[in-house]
Amino acid sequence: MKMAKSLLLGSAASLIALGGARAADLPVKVNPIEYVRTCSLYGSRFYYIPGTDTCIKLGGYLRAQAEFNSNSFNLNPDFGPGGAANRFSNHYTARARQHLSIDTRTATDYGVVRTYFEGVFQWASGTYSGLGNGSTVYQSIGGVSAPNNANPGAVAGGTFGVWYAFIQFAGFTFGKAGSQFSTPWGEYPGNYSELPGSGPWDQVNQFTYTADFGQGITASFSAQDQVQHDTSNIWNVSAATAAGLATGTYGGNDIGGTVAPDLIAMVRVDQAWGLFQASVAAHVNHAAYYGATELSGHPDDKWGWAGQLGLSIKNIPTGPGDSINMSGVYANGASRYAFNDYMSATYARYAGTNLAGAYQSVGLAGLSDSVFVAGAGQQLTTAFGFNGAYNHNWDPHWASSIFGGIGAVRYNSTAKGYICNAFVTGLALSSGIAGCNPDFNYAVVGTKTSWTPVKNLTFLAELSYSMLDQKYATGSTVLLPLQSGIGKPPAVYELKDQSSFAFRLLVQRNF
């Protein structure tokens, strides 16, 4: 029996082996290998996605950055713990970022269909604020996540950010892209900006049509989302508090839900000599309610507007690739078009004082689109400004820029009356109504130098100096309440112009 089983098993094994040998001898159809091919239709570094007629380009950078004498990134210490100029102020703040871009393009009968994405993974160190009892709590900076606040002992974490995510087809743009109001250099005419070629550093959700007339002449018409991006403050001054006034917040921020997008029109001429652009924007100011419920009533909506002229002069005689960029903006009821989206809307910068009886000096200022009081209509805020830069290439490895900008905020007489009544009452302004003026100017000047020892690797240093020019009467004082978050005691403070500086270093590897 054992012999029979052995014979049967042996026969089965032979049959299997024979079948395998015959199968190996048969011809087998193998799919051809598809190699990645270069796509030369849209410039360098595009490749065909295998099996499709769509071209793709991957890019990005990795950056390590340190900011000195600031609790924020790319902003001078003129607000919050940085503006306190005390032991809550960071001597340095650090951030690491991985940026990724994906650009796909497909030729169709209607023109090129394009999708574009930019995102970042980043981690930033944070700051501490006081709890009013001799202890502190760790916080993130400017919405960029530091270690989880619920677990202050954590050493990891970070955030993901979506910067661009749009589709372009037949002249239309759908999604998050650079604002059509912006110039190509966005918020940065000479100070360092994001990855070159990614578009204006002023991204917003939009529906846009761009007409190309040839010879570098284009016109765009856009409806863009105003939420956060284009609204500074709509202040209900009736809801002002002493604690808020002490930070430059002149009322309760009383913004209602969305009613209409901002409407943008732009014309651009882009030539070998440089670029000229004119932009206009319409912006609706839609407040919520005077009080806690809808029964309290509300002010009527009021449209504001902004206009901009931009000019870039390229290849000037000082050297190849040198340029001068400049732009000027005037806005009424649309202040974010004059003060960029990344700046603080309130300022409270502290320093010493020589005024007898004053504990310290402080510069207070606040930016808004409109102000109102209960039972009254909105008063639109006027803002205007100018920025510019000279950019010079010393050689293929070294480059420098000198840049500067100034913004001004002006309240009409009615708005000043609202704010000053609250200011004098809430903070006991020593000069009274006659010495109260919430208008202000804010200016920044600076320089940067970059070194690129090898292609796509850059080391950069930048120094900036800011000046807050407040308009309250000389020698005026205010009585500020306890500000436990930044350790400031209730005391008399002199209202005075302020200044600050920040220094930043970064290293960036593009790919």
Side-chain angles (χ1 to χ4, degrees):
M1 187 59 141
K2 287 183 179 179
M3 185 177 292
K5 285 183 177 180
S6 299
L7 288 171
L8 288 171
L9 289 171
S11 300
S14 299
L15 288 170
I16 291 170
L18 182 60
R22 288 178 177 173
D25 293 336
L26 293 174
V28 178
K29 185 176 181 181
V30 179
N31 291 327
I33 297 174
E34 292 196 41
Y35 295 97
V36 176
R37 296 178 294 128
T38 300
C39 174
S40 59
L41 298 174
Y42 311 110
S44 63
R45 298 176 53 203
F46 278 92
Y47 298 90
Y48 282 102
I49 298 175
T52 74
D53 57 356
T54 296
C55 299
I56 187 170
K57 178 181 179 179
L58 302 178
Y61 63 75
L62 195 146
R63 172 189 296 171
Q65 176 182 352
E67 193 96 5
F68 297 90
N69 196 44
S70 180
N71 289 52
S72 302
F73 294 100
N74 315 322
L75 295 173
N76 281 42
D78 296 318
F79 57 94
N86 61 14
R87 297 183 70 86
F88 287 99
S89 305
N90 282 358
H91 287 226
Y92 72 91
T93 306
R95 178 169 66 188
R97 170 187 293 169
Q98 173 62 68
H99 170 282
L100 175 67
S101 65
I102 304 172
D103 192 345
T104 69
R105 306 189 194 191
T106 307
T108 74
D109 293 338
Y110 297 92
V112 175
V113 176
R114 182 191 185 198
T115 66
Y116 186 80
F117 167 83
E118 274 191 39
V120 291
F121 303 89
Q122 59 187 8
W123 187 94
S125 60
T127 186
Y128 286 87
S129 63
L131 294 178
N133 60 1
S135 61
T136 61
V137 62
Y138 194 58
Q139 296 180 324
S140 62
I141 289 179
V144 178
S145 181
N148 190 338
N149 289 338
N151 180 13
V155 294
T159 56
F160 169 67
V162 177
W163 286 357
Y164 287 82
F166 63 81
I167 298 170
Q168 288 180 325
F169 173 67
F172 290 94
T173 299
F174 313 91
K176 192 177 185 187
S179 171
Q180 302 305 312
F181 188 88
S182 269
T183 56
W185 53 90
E187 317 291 350
Y188 303 98
N191 39 330
Y192 86 87
S193 60
E194 293 305 313
L195 187 67
S198 63
W201 178 228
D202 191 15
Q203 311 96 324
V204 60
N205 273 340
Q206 63 189 264
F207 174 82
T208 297
Y209 177 73
T210 300
D212 189 339
F213 301 103
Q215 305 299 316
I217 301 173
T218 58
S220 295
F221 305 92
S222 180
Q224 69 181 36
D225 186 9
Q226 68 166 240
V227 175
Q228 292 295 315
H229 182 272
D230 296 322
T231 302
S232 59
N233 295 296
I234 298 178
W235 275 326
N236 180 354
V237 183
S238 295
T241 65
L245 292 167
T247 66
T249 303
Y250 294 146
N253 200 359
D254 200 14
I255 301 172
T258 56
V259 173
D262 283 12
L263 304 176
I264 312 292
M266 180 272 287
V267 176
R268 181 179 297 168
V269 180
D270 196 344
Q271 305 285 343
W273 57 264
L275 174 144
F276 171 79
Q277 177 179 316
S279 312
V280 292
H283 171 84
V284 66
N285 293 285
H286 178 69
Y289 296 102
Y290 291 129
T293 74
E294 58 193 34
L295 296 176
S296 63
H298 60 82
D300 291 337
D301 294 351
K302 208 162 185 179
W303 281 86
W305 68 279
Q308 175 180 243
L309 295 177
L311 177 67
S312 177
I313 303 173
K314 302 175 183 177
N315 299 317
I316 57 180
T318 55
D322 288 7
S323 66
I324 296 174
N325 298 329
M326 64 186 80
S327 60
V329 181
Y330 182 91
N332 183 242
S335 297
R336 272 303 182 200
Y337 289 96
F339 281 70
N340 82 54
D341 320 317
Y342 309 102
M343 294 180 67
S344 176
T346 57
Y347 299 89
R349 172 71 187 181
Y350 291 83
T353 182
N354 295 318
L355 185 67
Y359 170 67
Q360 289 181 343
S361 67
V362 63
L364 297 177
L367 176 70
S368 67
D369 292 332
S370 74
V371 300
F372 65 90
V373 293
Q378 298 186 66
Q379 301 296 317
L380 299 184
T381 305
T382 296
F384 51 91
F386 171 85
N387 68 10
Y390 165 60
N391 305 297
H392 174 63
N393 295 295
W394 300 98
D395 60 33
H397 303 287
W398 289 90
S400 296
S401 298
I402 300 173
F403 58 85
I406 183 169
V409 173
R410 299 292 182 265
Y411 292 94
N412 66 30
S413 58
T414 303
K416 286 179 180 177
Y418 295 159
I419 294 171
C420 288
N421 282 330
F423 204 78
V424 171
T425 302
L427 299 185
L429 179 67
S430 62
S431 55
I433 293 292
C436 177
N437 185 352
D439 294 347
F440 71 94
N441 302 323
Y442 185 79
V444 177
V445 295
T447 182
K448 85 165 194 300
T449 293
S450 61
W451 175 50
T452 305
V454 296
K455 185 177 180 180
N456 294 327
L457 177 65
T458 298
F459 298 84
L460 183 145
E462 180 178 291
L463 176 67
S464 61
Y465 178 77
S466 71
M467 294 154 283
L468 174 60
D469 173 24
Q470 53 89 47
K471 301 298 182 181
Y472 296 102
T474 302
S476 294
T477 62
V478 289
L479 178 59
L480 298 188
L482 169 67
Q483 298 175 76
S484 58
I486 56 173
K488 294 297 179 182
V492 172
Y493 292 79
E494 178 190 8
L495 286 171
K496 186 179 178 181
D497 296 346
Q498 303 290 338
S499 61
S500 68
F501 75 91
F503 180 67
R504 52 197 60 93
L505 294 172
L506 68 86
V507 56
Q508 178 167 311
R509 171 72 161 97
N510 296 342
F511 60 86

